[in-house]
């Protein structure tokens, strides 16, 4: 087929990416004309010219934007060819002044690819050593493994000259050698000479020419086609081992899953029953593993399941208990009122009544954090159930029903668990065990209080590091450097921060005495979680700041730091807790404080001793209660909720699923799962077929070895010093004296003669090498290039 534009000057002004596809019918398609099939290849040529002009204009402009043409034919191989513009030195028409460099950059985009074969086309009637195509090929393919030389215009050489030594790869050799072709002349194109006739004429030329007839089978366009086909085969065979390994690994990775799909029957009741049993068993195992922490897939990004519940038990719940602890000032006021009211009109003091009244009020406060602990555990359990049912996404109805059944059971257990927790609190309220071994007792309350105060004053856990980690100081203004991250070290006495975790450059040390914690709302543009330290005596905490705002990335980090501050004696601010007093409101209590019966400011020594005694007794007993509650709460929740839920999943979930409705509806596949199954089966068969094709290629094709390296150093010589050129240094094809009658009476085109003596040496070439294997005669004269034979002008007979 003849469909590429031809003409004088630069014709190819955009890269043409030609994809040949073996098919039963013959037609062409352009990427820019999607859906349109060109069966007349004359229209293909016109479309190429029109598309070129659309981008580059009609006055010789160029563009690197390729034209993509796909040709389907039963006479072609699956191959991609790229027709590139020829090198232009002098701009013409609308071409820019740097046309040479633009074309060179365009060529480099294609020829630098390692899977690209380079056809370095050079005319036979020009100096081969100055070939731009060979020069560029040498730059990108220095080993010559991808370069094939193509010599054109062999029929236009001067009479008496030929390119035999070049085609035999003796003169200016390439590793893959040269192939000669004879194309149609412009006269043949104008005369509509078809491709078949041109191929026949090319074959006749090589068979009849005395210099080429011995290698006619290795010349011509059909042989070039055969060479390219063999190189394609070689490339395929070279890549087959890696491709085969990749396909086999993919096949092995999906084989186990595909085995289940091969015998898959959607409506088989036995399959649905088996799948249901497997899903319930897998859900039970996953749930238990997530709670117990022995799962095979450990989450490395966040806490989940049992780890989060453990954090609730040992960090969040103790923190909530501390938040509910009594305030010293409020407690002393309550005790003083209780003592006065117990005195009554008789003035007789019974300390056990005051003690019991205050303790019961404090114990009742524990109900709120206990119920909150149950709610947090329920939330984590439901989240764990949802995580475990993600594997059931292929059965959406089953997943939804399973989540509903288990969640409903958890909600049912919630009421039972909360009742039991309330029962624990009521049991504590029912009887004040003042004979407990840890209770200090009425007799030595004052003495033990004094000892504990001295011990605490001496410094508990002096110097012991409680926690280290990165925190961001959030409330430093932009003018003073803005928020910065520091390495914090918390001890029982101080909070220090350093520039980095090497702890060499200390920035500040803050005593923890009289400090408390409060939560701070996140800013509008901030993603960090913030808490603040402040002084209970209304003093500046850090420099000019009333409070020190510290920020963490997650709420879990904030809770963990708060628990650490509790160990250091820094308690949270009591928010939203009503003061325990016998007044109607805080305003009334403040008003009474300022009145004449102000017990806090006008307390007699006897009352002060009684208040201190009751205060220490309450402190001692509440420590026992808190310790008991902190121990019993996790045990109660584990027994009544978590372990019960595990038992329910193992023993009753399947029965509940069977009783909830139709099994066919329950085990109905999702559309995504059906599509995935079909895709997996298609991929499996495609991989099997690809491996069979690779096996056939290995047995039905052979690869040719890479030719040995040749001395192509002539391509690296850019210039020869002036005065060193001799008549034997011409790089043009060797001119032979016609030993046989001339093959052609004349020539259609001029052929360059030898360079004139004393001419410019720029772009010169090395001397003509002798044939490989022939040693030069040291006594014989150097080989001489024959002079141009005399002939009459064309117009003179």
């Amino acid at each position: 087929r003849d469909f590429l534009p031809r003409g004088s000057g630069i014709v190819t002004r955009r890269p043409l990416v030609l994809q040949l596809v073996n098919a039963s019918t013959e037609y062409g398609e352009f990427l820019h004309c999607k859906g349109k099939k060109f069966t007349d290849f004359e229209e293909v040529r016109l479309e190429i010219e029109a598309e070129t002009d659309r981008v580059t204009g009609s006055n010789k402009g160029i563009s690197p934007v390729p034209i993509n043409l796909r040709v389907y034919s039963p006479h072609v191989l699956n191959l991609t060819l790229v027709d590139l513009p020829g090198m232009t030195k002098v701009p013409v028409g609308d071409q820019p002044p740097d046309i040479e460099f633009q074309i060179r950059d365009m060529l480099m985009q294609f020829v630098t690819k390692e899977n690209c074969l380079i056809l370095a086309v050079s005319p036979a009637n020009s100096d081969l050593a100055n070939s731009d195509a060979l020069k560029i090929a040498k730059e990108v393919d220095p080993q010559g493994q991808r370069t094939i030389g193509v010599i054109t215009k062999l029929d236009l050489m001067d009479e008496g000259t030929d390119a035999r030594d070049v085609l035999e790869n003796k003169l200016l050799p390439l590793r893959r050698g040269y192939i000669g072709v004879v194309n149609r002349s412009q006269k043949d194109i104008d005369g509509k000479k078809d491709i078949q006739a041109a191929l026949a004429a090319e074959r006749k030329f090589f068979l009849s020419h005395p210099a080429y007839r011995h290698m006619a089978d290795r010349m011509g366009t059909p042989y070039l086609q055969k060479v390219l086909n063999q190189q394609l085969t070689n490339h395929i065979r070279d890549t087959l081992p890696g491709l085969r390994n990749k396909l086999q690994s993919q096949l092995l990775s999906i084989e186990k899953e595909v085995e289940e799909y091969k015998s898959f029957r959607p409506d088989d009741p036995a399959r649905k029953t088996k799948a249901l049993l497997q899903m319930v068993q897998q859900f039970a195992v996953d749930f238990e593993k997530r709670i117990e922490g022995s799962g095979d897939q450990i989450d490395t990004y966040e806490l989940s399941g049992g780890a989060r519940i453990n954090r609730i038990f040992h960090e969040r719940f103790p923190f909530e208990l501390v938040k509910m602890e009594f305030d010293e000032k409020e407690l002393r006021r309550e005790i003083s009122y209780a003592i006065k009211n117990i005195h009554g009109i008789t003035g007789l003091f019974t300390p056990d009544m005051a003690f019991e009244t205050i303790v019961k009020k404090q114990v009742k406060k524990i109900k709120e954090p206990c119920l909150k602990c149950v709610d947090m555990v329920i939330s984590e359990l439901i989240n764990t159930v949802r995580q475990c049912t993600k594997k059931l996404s292929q059965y959406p109805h089953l997943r939804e029903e399973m989540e509903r059944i288990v969640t409903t059971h958890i909600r049912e257990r919630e009421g039972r668990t909360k009742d039991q927790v309330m029962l624990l609190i009521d049991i504590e309220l029912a009887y004040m065990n003042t004979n407990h071994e840890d209770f200090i007792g009425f007799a030595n309350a004052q003495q033990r209080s004094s000892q504990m105060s001295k011990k605490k004053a001496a410094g508990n856990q002096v110097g012991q590091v409680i926690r280290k980690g990165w925190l961001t100081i959030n409330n430093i203004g932009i003018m003073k450097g803005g928020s910065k991250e520091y390495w914090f070290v918390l001890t029982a006495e101080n909070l220090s921060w350093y520039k980095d975790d090497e702890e060499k450059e200390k920035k500040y040390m803050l005593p923890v005495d009289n400090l408390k914690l409060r939560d701070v709302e996140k800013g509008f543009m901030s993603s960090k979680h913030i808490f603040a330290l402040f002084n209970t005596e209304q003093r500046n905490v850090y420099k000019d700041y009333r409070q020190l705002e510290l920020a963490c990335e997650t709420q879990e980090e904030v809770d963990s730091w708060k628990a650490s501050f509790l160990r250091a004696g820094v308690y949270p601010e009591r928010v939203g807790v009503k003061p325990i007093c016998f007044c109607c409101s805080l305003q009334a209590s403040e008003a009474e404080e300022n009145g004449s019966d102000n017990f806090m400011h006008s307390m007699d020594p006897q009352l002060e001793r009684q208040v201190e005694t009751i205060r220490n007794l309450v402190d001692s007993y509440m420590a026992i209660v808190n310790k008991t509650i902190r121990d019993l709460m996790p045990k109660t929740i584990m027994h009544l909720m978590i372990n019960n839920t595990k038992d329910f999943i193992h023993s009753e979930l399947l029965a509940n699923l069977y009783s909830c409705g139709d099994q066919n509806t329950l085990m109905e596949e999702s559309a995504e799962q059906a599509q995935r199954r079909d895709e997996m089966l298609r991929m499996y068969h495609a991989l099997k077929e690809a491996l069979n094709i690779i096996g056939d290629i290995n047995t039905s094709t052979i690869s040719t070895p890479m030719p040995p390296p040749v001395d192509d150093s002539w391509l690296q010589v850019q210039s020869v010093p002036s005065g060193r050129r001799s008549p034997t240094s011409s790089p043009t094809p060797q001119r032979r004296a016609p030993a046989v009658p001339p093959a052609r009476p004349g020539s259609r085109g001029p052929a360059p003669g030898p360079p004139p003596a004393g001419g410019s040496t720029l772009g010169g070439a090395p001397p003509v090498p002798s044939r490989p294997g022939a040693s030069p005669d040291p006594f014989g004269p150097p080989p001489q290039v024959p002079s141009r034979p005399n002939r009459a002008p064309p117009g003179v007979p």
Side-chain angles (χ1 to χ4, degrees), residues 17-64:
V17 180
L18 176 60
Q19 291 178 279
L20 304 179
V21 182
N22 188 272
S24 57
T25 56
E26 196 170 59
Y27 62 93
E29 280 185 346
F30 286 95
L31 185 63
H32 62 272
C33 299
K34 290 184 178 180
K36 183 178 181 181
K37 295 183 179 180
F38 293 81
T39 54
D40 184 357
F41 282 81
E42 183 64 28
E43 293 182 8
V44 173
R45 176 194 290 109
L46 295 176
E47 180 61 30
I48 293 174
E49 293 175 347
E51 178 63 18
T52 301
D53 291 342
R54 270 194 287 270
V55 175
T56 63
S58 58
N59 195 14
K60 305 299 183 183
I62 66 164
S63 170

Side-chain angles (χ1 to χ4, degrees), residues 208-276:
S208 61
H209 197 289
Y212 309 133
R213 63 177 58 157
H214 69 288
M215 51 180 169
D217 292 338
R218 292 181 283 110
M219 295 292 119
T221 303
Y223 180 72
L224 177 61
Q225 223 175 2
K226 181 180 177 182
V227 169
L228 293 177
N229 182 21
Q230 183 61 52
Q231 295 310 316
L232 176 63
T233 302
N234 290 351
H235 177 72
I236 291 174
R237 287 179 63 91
D238 290 341
T239 57
L240 283 185
L243 181 60
R244 184 195 293 111
N245 292 338
K246 185 177 180 181
L247 293 177
Q248 285 177 341
S249 64
Q250 285 183 330
L251 190 64
L252 289 174
S253 66
I254 67 173
E255 203 159 19
K256 184 177 179 181
E257 187 174 356
V258 169
E259 282 299 325
E260 301 176 4
Y261 294 152
K262 283 182 180 178
S263 57
F264 183 83
R265 289 180 295 170
D267 299 326
D268 183 9
R271 181 201 65 81
K272 291 184 177 180
T273 302
K274 180 181 177 182
L276 178 60

Side-chain angles (χ1 to χ4, degrees), residues 1 35 59 82 94 142 174 177 237 295 305 348-349 400 505 518 533 565 612 639 707 714 765 784 791:
R1 292 292 183 178
N59 195 14
V82 182
D94 291 335
L174 289 176
R237 287 179 63 91
L348 181 65
F349 172 59
E400 182 180 346
E505 185 179 342
R518 68 160 61 108
L533 298 172
F565 275 109
E612 186 67 25
H639 174 68
W714 61 275
Q784 300 291 328
R791 55 178 179 150

Side-chain angles (χ1 to χ4, degrees), residues 20-21 260 262 287 317 319 325 327 339 350 370 456-457 537 549 553 728 796:
L20 304 179
V21 182
E260 301 176 4
K262 283 182 180 178
F287 183 81
F317 179 56
F319 179 73
E325 279 185 356
D327 181 81
I339 292 173
T350 51
C370 288
K456 190 172 182 180
E537 299 179 354
E549 295 182 8
E553 294 293 336
T728 64
V796 180

Side-chain angles (χ1 to χ4, degrees), residues 442-509:
F442 287 91
N444 56 0
Q446 185 65 39
Q447 180 183 356
R448 289 286 299 273
S449 175
S450 177
Q451 291 176 355
M452 289 177 64
S453 300
K454 290 179 180 178
K455 185 177 179 181
K456 190 172 182 180
N460 190 20
Q461 297 179 336
V462 176
Q464 179 183 350
V465 175
I466 297 175
R467 184 185 177 95
K468 294 183 179 182
W470 291 98
L471 286 173
T472 301
I473 299 181
N474 196 64
N475 59 330
I476 298 180
I478 297 177
M479 298 301 292
K480 297 183 179 180
S483 301
K484 288 186 179 180
E485 195 174 33
Y486 295 101
W487 179 259
F488 279 75
V489 177
L490 175 64
T491 67
E493 295 180 331
N494 303 302
L495 175 66
S496 306
W497 56 91
Y498 300 82
K499 181 180 179 182
D500 50 41
D501 54 3
E502 294 182 0
E503 299 182 15
K504 292 181 179 179
E505 185 179 342
K506 181 182 286 190
K507 293 294 184 180
Y508 199 80
M509 185 172 71

